[in-house]
Amino acid sequence: MDLSSTLKLNNGVNIPVLGLGTYLSKDGDETYNAVRYAIDAGYKHIDTAEGYNNERSVGKAIKDSGIKRGDIFITTKLWNENQRQGNQYQAFERSLEQLGVDYIDLYLIHWPVKGKFAETWKVFELIYKEGRARAVGVSNFHIHHLEDVFAASDLVPAVNQVECHPWLTNVEVADYCMKKGILFEPYSPLGAGTLINNATLAAIAKNYNKTSAQLILKWGLQRGFINIPKSVHKDRIIENADIFDFEITDADMAEIFKLNQNKRTCADPDNFNF
C-alpha cells in the first residue's frame, strides 16, 4: 500500500486511501498552496466543502498543478442552509462552478439537518443517476440517520465521513457502516491536533520511529478507513503521507483503542445549531 492506493466504494468507484482535508484552510493562498503541496507530494484526493468557503482556491490549485482531472479525486459537500432552503441542486451546480469541474467524485450531505436530510438524499440520488457525481454519501450521520436514509431510498451511501480518532473511536458506527457496505471516513483524525502531544501515542510511535500523527493515521488505515488529515504546512503534509512503510502490532492497536473517551472536538450530529 502507498499514497496511490485505493479502496473500492460500494458502486465500484476507487477512492484514494489518504487525502488532504481543507477544513479551516483560508480561501486564497493558504488553501491554494496546501493543495499544491499535497499534489506535488503525490496526493490524489482533496476534500473540501461548500461550507469551508475555499472551493474556488481548491479548484484553481488543482487546475494549475497540471494533474489530469481523472487522476485526482475531489470530495465536496452540501452545506446545511441549502437543505433548509430546498436549493440542493443549485448548490451542487455552484460547487461545480467554483471548483471549475464538470463532475464531482464524491458529493456528501455535510450534516443531517433534521426534517430535511432524507429529502436531500433523493436529490443526491438524482445527481448520481445523472452521472454528475461519481459517488454520493453522507457526513456526520449516526446509525439512526442512516436508517432514515435507507427508509427513503434504495441507494446506499458510498461513504459516511464522521469525526473519529483515538479519543472517539466510534466503533459502533464504524462497524455498522462497514456491515452495510458504507466506507467509513474519519475527519479530524488527529483530534483537531490535540492528540499530537499525547504521551501514550508518542511512546508507541517511538517504537516505529514515527510521529504520533503518523501512528494515528496508520491506525485508521489499518481499521480499513479513508483518512483526510488537514494541514496547510508543506512539511506536515509530506509527513502525513509517510505512513506506508510500517504496520502497527495488534497489541499496540489495542493500546490505542484504550484511549477512547467518546470525546468530541466537533459538534454532535444530534445537537448542532448551524
Side-chain angles (χ1 to χ4, degrees):
M1 183 177 278
D2 57 30
L3 192 49
S4 63
S5 297
T6 61
L7 290 175
K8 198 173 290 293
L9 299 175
N10 56 23
N11 66 349
V13 169
N14 291 317
I15 181 172
V17 296
L18 188 73
L20 176 73
T22 61
Y23 175 56
L24 295 181
S25 293
K26 295 176 184 175
D27 196 32
D29 289 347
E30 185 171 90
T31 294
Y32 178 89
N33 290 334
V35 174
R36 290 297 303 272
Y37 296 150
I39 293 173
D40 289 347
Y43 283 68
K44 305 292 186 185
H45 180 180
I46 307 296
D47 180 281
T48 183
E50 180 186 25
Y52 300 169
N53 296 311
N54 60 18
E55 286 178 318
R56 202 171 293 280
S57 296
V58 168
K60 187 176 189 307
I62 290 171
K63 181 181 179 181
D64 290 353
S65 75
I67 194 169
K68 293 179 181 177
R69 176 66 187 92
D71 291 338
I72 192 79
F73 191 100
I74 301 173
T75 297
T76 193
K77 312 173 192 79
L78 174 75
W79 187 238
N80 302 340
E81 197 56 35
N82 290 306
Q83 292 191 66
R84 297 185 181 106
Q85 295 178 3
N87 58 7
Q88 298 96 327
Y89 200 92
Q90 295 92 323
F92 175 76
E93 295 272 8
R94 187 164 55 249
S95 285
L96 288 177
E97 187 274 325
Q98 294 191 148
L99 286 162
V101 296
D102 56 8
Y103 69 91
I104 301 296
D105 294 284
L106 177 63
Y107 195 46
L108 304 178
I109 299 177
H110 206 153
W111 289 85
V113 175
K114 190 173 182 180
K116 296 292 183 181
F117 67 83
E119 172 191 336
T120 295
W121 186 247
K122 293 179 181 178
V123 179
F124 272 49
E125 189 171 13
L126 173 62
I127 289 169
Y128 175 66
K129 287 180 177 178
E130 290 178 345
R132 309 190 74 198
R134 296 176 67 220
V136 290
V138 297
S139 180
N140 295 296
F141 275 46
H142 287 323
I143 291 172
H144 70 89
H145 297 128
L146 290 168
E147 289 177 340
D148 286 346
V149 167
F150 295 149
S153 170
D154 292 330
L155 181 64
V156 177
V159 164
N160 187 14
Q161 188 182 111
V162 175
E163 182 179 359
C164 179
H165 43 72
W167 278 347
L168 182 68
T169 53
N170 235 327
V171 172
E172 185 180 5
V173 178
D175 287 351
Y176 180 88
C177 287
M178 301 299 258
K179 187 172 94 172
K180 294 291 187 179
I182 302 169
L183 196 64
F184 195 77
E185 185 176 20
Y187 71 76
S188 292
L190 307 180
T194 58
L195 284 164
I196 291 176
N197 298 315
N198 180 274
T200 299
L201 294 171
I204 296 172
K206 190 175 181 180
N207 295 333
Y208 302 96
N209 294 315
K210 293 293 181 181
T211 65
S212 297
Q214 290 168 326
L215 178 79
I216 296 167
L217 294 174
K218 186 68 174 188
W219 173 76
L221 288 185
Q222 284 187 209
R223 292 179 72 187
F225 303 158
I226 300 296
N227 274 297
I228 47 166
K230 177 259 179 179
S231 181
V232 297
H233 303 290
K234 184 177 182 179
D235 56 343
R236 286 283 177 83
I237 290 169
I238 293 170
E239 175 189 308
N240 288 342
D242 186 20
I243 58 174
F244 298 100
D245 59 351
F246 75 108
E247 291 291 318
I248 305 172
T249 66
D250 290 346
D252 283 342
M253 288 288 284
E255 287 301 309
I256 297 170
F257 272 104
K258 288 179 183 177
L259 294 173
N260 182 55
Q261 304 172 23
N262 293 322
K263 179 179 179 180
R264 296 183 179 277
T265 62
C266 300
D268 186 330
D270 276 334
N271 183 27
F272 62 95
N273 59 0
F274 45 83

